[in-house]
Amino acid sequence: PSHLTRLVYRDMKVLGGHIINVSSLAGIAGASRLTSYCASKFAIRGFGQALQMELDLEKNSRVKITCVCPSITKTGLFNGASTKWPRIIPLLEPEFVAEQIVIATREEREEVVLPKVCNMLFLVDEWMPRRVWRRCKELAGVHTMNTYKRIRPE
């Protein structure tokens, strides 16, 4: 996202626009077997937050930034992945995620967490001791990648 943003950022600051960054719940709460993936998704969130701070400093309200953090989406990237509590945190349909991105863009929302019940991650992540937080994530089923099947060799 940083390279693409760099290409259009100067024009957007003058003409206006909306930057949509797609992160993940893994960009809020790290998960086992996804170290590199989590790091990249945390980076996307941080990039958008820093860019928003720059816009605020410049008092530029013409550029909007939205970060979307969906749970596992049925795109084939994580074939065979499942969730421990599918009624609470289901695998998301790509069409649903796309619809939520359109809605968030119209509403100029800065951050979108899908499903919405996962918004509690923000509060818990900031206030709970790390050891307790890791145990809570285990109970919630953060090790969902144990069912993940690689679709191509490394």
Side-chain angles (χ1 to χ4, degrees), residues 7-89:
L7 290 173
V8 299
Y9 188 59
R10 279 199 178 127
D11 290 338
M12 285 182 105
K13 285 172 49 173
V14 174
L15 303 172
H18 202 127
I19 297 168
I20 308 293
N21 291 322
V22 179
S23 180
S24 169
L25 284 184
I28 301 170
S32 60
R33 296 186 169 197
L34 290 174
T35 306
S36 296
Y37 182 80
C38 291
S40 69
K41 297 305 182 177
F42 270 87
I44 289 170
R45 286 186 68 228
F47 172 75
Q49 290 171 0
L51 190 58
Q52 185 63 63
M53 294 296 290
E54 288 180 20
L55 291 165
D56 290 348
L57 185 64
E58 296 171 4
K59 299 189 183 336
N60 185 326
S61 60
R62 291 179 296 281
V63 179
K64 308 300 181 201
I65 300 173
T66 298
C67 183
V68 183
C69 301
S71 67
I72 300 171
T73 306
K74 298 180 193 177
T75 60
L77 180 62
F78 296 117
N79 285 341
S82 60
T83 64
K84 185 173 184 177
W85 309 101
R87 290 184 179 208
I88 299 170
I89 305 175

